[in-house]
Amino acid sequence: MNRVYVCSCFGVTEQQVRQHAENGACTPRQIASASKAGTDCGSCVRSIQAILGRGTCPRRELAEQGKPVLTELTPAQSLEEAA
């Protein structure tokens, strides 16, 4: 098995980043949330951006079609976040 590590700090491979992207992670921040990659020394963030740039992103596709990419918050949710 050939493993190409993107993030040596947390042992995250390119295949894992691609899998998270297939599951909906479209930004380095979302990849970090899913795997911690990019949250320590940060040297892998550009590699993660390059990997994400080559794939498709459901949210990016929605944006290109002029459709909303974020769900709207109810007034109660907005108040909770503001608190």
Side-chain angles (χ1 to χ4, degrees):
M1 177 182 273
N2 185 10
R3 290 187 182 179
V4 177
Y5 286 95
V6 174
C7 176
S8 358
C9 296
F10 294 103
V12 179
T13 65
E14 184 174 339
Q15 181 60 36
Q16 288 172 308
V17 171
R18 290 181 193 281
Q19 185 61 49
H20 289 303
E22 286 176 19
N23 293 337
C26 298
T27 65
R29 182 172 286 175
Q30 291 170 339
I31 295 293
S33 229
S35 67
K36 292 188 180 181
T39 61
D40 194 24
C41 77
S43 66
C44 61
V45 173
R46 286 190 186 261
S47 297
I48 293 169
Q49 289 172 326
I51 293 167
L52 294 175
R54 290 182 286 217
T56 60
C57 175
R59 291 186 191 139
R60 188 177 304 131
E61 290 171 4
L62 288 173
E64 288 172 356
Q65 295 171 5
K67 296 180 181 175
V69 294
L70 300 175
T71 58
E72 291 189 29
L73 298 176
T74 64
Q77 289 172 317
S78 297
L79 290 174
E80 288 174 5
E81 287 188 6

